[in-house]
Amino acid sequence: MTVVRELLLRPDIGRAVTVLCDAGHSRDIARVTLIEDMRAIPPAPHGQVGVCTGRASDEINPDLLDVAVGFAAGANVAALALVGLPPDRPLPLTVSRLAERRGLSLLSVERGTDLARLVIAIEQELALGPMRTISRAAAALAALDRAEPGPDPIGELAALAGRELGRPVTVERRPDGEGAPVTAEQHPDGEGVPVTVAGAVRARLRCAPAGDASDAVVRLVLHRAASLAGHTIEQARRTSEGPAASRAALLAELLLSAPEDAGPLLARTRRAGFVVDGWHTVIHIELDNLDSLTGGEAARHELTVEARRLALQAALNDGADWQRADAGSALTLVRTDRSEPAATQPKALTRTASAVLARLKEQFAGLRLYCGVGGSYQGLEGLQTSATEARAGGAAARTARHQDRPLAFRDLGFRRVLLQWYAMNSSRVVVDRLLAPLDELGPRRKDEAIRTLQAFLDHPGSPRDAAAALGVHRNTVANRVKRLLDLLDMDGDNADHRLLLQLACRVAARASQDGPVATPIASGSGAGHPAGAQKVGTR
């Protein structure tokens, strides 16, 4: 049986009344009665709640309040609710003493309250079992739909759901508010209801189970609260990140633009707050297995958006000026310094990249990451050069299965030299023109031709070793090489021709393995750098 105190815990009842005397709060109640005449209250074998109509309440002036308490007590009323009784004035001493002696609570109902709804709510609360839970759940759902949560949507909506349900709802989340909270194995009440933001679980809502059918109804309320909390957080994030997302899109476009066409784009990027003329360093991270971790295009996009946000957040922890460049599913982070960085910066950049990867792995444990770090260069062409190097480092990391660890372009050894050489416009033109006749053979035969030439040139004076590397007869190698040299109009006995052809084949072979790892992004001069670009810490 329900006691008066428990009845008033229901939010819609508690909001409708003000307690003036709580002497009957511990008494059991079995029914509610709408009182139109204080002298004709139907008696009850068990405690009851008496709700006076407006007219009946008006007939009871302060001089008759003690009489009304006497009539109510005689009819076994445990709580008497009167409309318009001043809630801010103390009860007359005779009335309060009488109510305490008879064990009766006095309640004030604000004028204008819908008494029919109040009586129905009390009846529902007194109906033990599913009806009570269903009525509370309906009130909770309505309150959640009306809610306008503030800075902590998860905590505020969980507290609101708990108040309406009359059962405490707890929130379990990481101290930093990010990532997966306590798991089912760590909690006796099971997995809880997850609050998901951009595909990641931010918190779990839990309510101690009652062990009956009401648990299913309560869980529906928790799911609604969790859904609203996640939606509110995502909406707030989209609003706050609008300028950052716009700047990230501009930066991505700038990375891909040709210098001669970048004038208007440069102006827009500067207006967005990006220091184009500074020294830039790029970290490039490839998300390798998105499809296996997500269930479709929408989930893939949400995971990528969240990964970009977390990556930038982790990078900013080093105190430098970092920006995102949003293009495709890869993550591109750009650090900008206003003056030439110190010679020790490459090590610091590797530490930052490692911290970013660790944060992403913490959030998305099954995600495979390949990361490249470019050098530091000045200006637009320097930005594009660093981006090219970072992509090359990421491609090299993938080839070497260097997973979840940064690979700096400066650590690529001879391959770095090849990529820098090939990044120069003049070198690229030479290589492309030199190998252009092989395009007539088709993709498969072209790859075979490059492998044949590379094996022949890598084993000078030893056709047998070249044949062994290719797994064919030495005569086959000799015949193929002769036809290919004729096709390319190259002299196999000329040392300059052999060196140029060997470099071209090595670059082409790498490109075939890794994809376009060294896109020519700018014309210029120097040892693999655009005009005016200087590199730090790469000697």
Side-chain angles (χ1 to χ4, degrees):
M1 195 171 289
T2 304
V3 300
V4 174
R5 181 178 292 103
E6 294 173 342
L7 179 72
L8 298 178
L9 290 177
R10 174 165 164 155
D12 53 347
I13 297 175
R15 286 192 296 266
V17 302
T18 301
V19 178
L20 303 179
C21 173
D22 62 359
H25 270 33
S26 60
R27 290 181 58 185
D28 291 333
I29 46 178
R31 74 182 192 186
V32 57
T33 300
L34 187 64
I35 300 173
E36 297 182 289
D37 186 346
M38 287 300 304
R39 293 161 294 186
I41 305 175
H46 302 290
Q48 61 178 324
V49 177
V51 179
C52 294
T53 63
R55 187 173 67 178
S57 298
D58 290 340
E59 291 175 354
I60 304 170
N61 57 47
D63 296 332
L64 297 178
L65 191 54
D66 54 347
V67 176
V69 170
F71 278 125
N76 210 5
V77 172
L80 179 64
L82 296 103
V83 176
L85 202 60
D88 54 349
R89 296 181 191 173
L91 291 171
L93 187 60
T94 54
V95 175
S96 60
R97 285 180 176 175
L98 178 61
E100 290 172 0
R101 189 166 63 250
R102 302 300 294 271
L104 184 143
S105 293
L106 277 172
L107 312 174
S108 172
V109 181
E110 186 178 357
R111 290 192 183 278
T113 299
D114 189 331
L115 296 182
R117 286 182 178 274
L118 177 60
V119 170
I120 291 172
I122 295 173
E123 285 181 338
Q124 290 175 339
E125 192 64 17
L126 296 178
L128 295 176
M131 192 61 192
R132 172 192 287 184
T133 303
I134 291 172
S135 63
R136 285 194 172 190
L141 291 173
L144 288 170
D145 287 340
R146 293 192 304 269
E148 296 181 359
D152 179 22
I154 299 175
E156 293 171 27
L157 292 174
L160 175 60
R163 287 195 302 271
E164 296 292 336
L165 288 170
R167 296 163 64 171
V169 175
T170 59
V171 179
E172 292 182 351
R173 49 187 160 186
R174 293 166 51 93
D176 60 2
E178 304 284 356
V182 178
T183 61
E185 291 74 16
Q186 298 169 302
H187 199 284
D189 291 341
E191 63 180 6
V193 175
V195 178
T196 304
V197 180
V201 177
R202 292 281 296 273
R204 294 187 189 275
L205 306 185
R206 287 193 171 89
C207 185
D212 55 30
S214 67
D215 290 341
V217 179
V218 169
R219 195 168 179 84
L220 289 175
V221 175
L222 298 189
H223 274 288
R224 180 59 177 160
S227 174
L228 287 172
H231 177 72
T232 302
I233 293 172
E234 287 185 350
Q235 287 293 103
R237 178 178 297 168
R238 290 191 185 101
T239 301
S240 64
E241 290 190 351
S246 176
R247 190 164 53 248
L250 277 173
L251 192 52
E253 192 175 349
L254 193 63
L255 284 172
L256 299 174
S257 66
E260 60 272 18
D261 300 328
L265 188 59
L266 276 173
R268 289 168 55 201
T269 310
R270 286 193 174 98
R271 286 197 298 270
F274 183 71
V275 184
V276 178
D277 300 320
W279 291 73
H280 310 293
T281 313
V282 176
I283 294 176
H284 177 82
I285 302 173
E286 298 178 10
L287 312 181
D288 182 62
N289 55 331
L290 282 177
D291 289 337
S292 63
L293 292 180
T294 57
E297 191 63 32
R300 177 191 177 101
H301 173 73
E302 290 292 342
L303 190 151
T304 302
V305 169
E306 179 69 359
R308 284 173 179 158
R309 186 186 70 84
L310 292 176
L312 179 59
Q313 184 183 75
L316 288 170
N317 288 335
D318 71 4
D321 180 13
W322 286 94
Q323 307 280 345
R324 289 190 342 237
D326 295 348
S329 61
L331 311 184
T332 302
L333 300 173
V334 180
R335 169 173 170 157
T336 300
D337 296 282
R338 292 183 179 271
S339 58
E340 183 177 356
T344 57
Q345 192 188 67
K347 291 183 178 179
L349 287 167
T350 300
R351 288 195 298 270
T352 299
S354 296
V356 170
L357 295 175
R359 185 67 187 90
L360 292 173
K361 291 295 289 184
E362 183 181 18
Q363 180 72 25
F364 308 107
L367 192 60
R368 288 196 300 269
L369 304 169
Y370 297 105
C371 174
V373 182
S376 297
Y377 299 94
Q378 189 176 22
L380 171 60
E381 294 181 351
L383 169 66
Q384 294 178 328
T385 297
S386 186
T388 297
E389 292 188 352
R391 289 194 294 270
R398 181 186 294 275
T399 301
R401 300 187 182 278
H402 194 85
Q403 183 179 317
D404 304 332
R405 292 173 293 162
L407 184 59
F409 184 79
R410 65 191 180 92
D411 296 331
L412 294 184
F414 180 67
R415 184 178 177 200
R416 168 186 149 213
V417 175
L418 283 177
L419 291 169
Q420 286 180 324
W421 174 74
Y422 188 55
M424 290 190 299
N425 237 29
S426 56
S427 300
R428 185 180 180 89
V429 169
V430 169
V431 170
D432 288 350
R433 287 179 178 174
L434 175 62
L435 300 181
L438 298 181
D439 292 337
E440 302 173 5
L441 303 177
R444 186 183 64 80
R445 293 184 61 199
K446 178 180 178 179
D447 289 344
E448 181 184 79
I450 290 173
R451 287 197 304 271
T452 300
L453 288 170
Q454 188 173 0
F456 171 74
L457 294 167
D458 286 349
H459 299 88
S462 181
R464 179 181 299 174
D465 292 341
L470 293 171
V472 297
H473 192 273
R474 56 185 295 178
N475 291 339
T476 303
V477 174
N479 292 333
R480 287 181 183 175
V481 169
K482 184 179 184 307
R483 287 197 304 271
L484 291 171
L485 290 175
D486 289 342
L487 179 63
L488 297 172
D489 194 22
M490 298 291 287
D491 182 359
D493 296 326
N494 185 303
D496 291 338
H497 284 199
R498 290 175 63 93
L499 176 59
L500 180 58
L501 187 57
Q502 187 173 25
L503 290 174
C505 288
R506 280 180 176 260
V507 171
R510 288 295 186 181
S512 176
Q513 293 172 13
D514 303 336
V517 297
T519 305
I521 46 162
S523 60
S525 59
H529 308 297
Q534 301 179 39
K535 189 153 171 49
V536 173
T538 58
R539 291 191 295 274

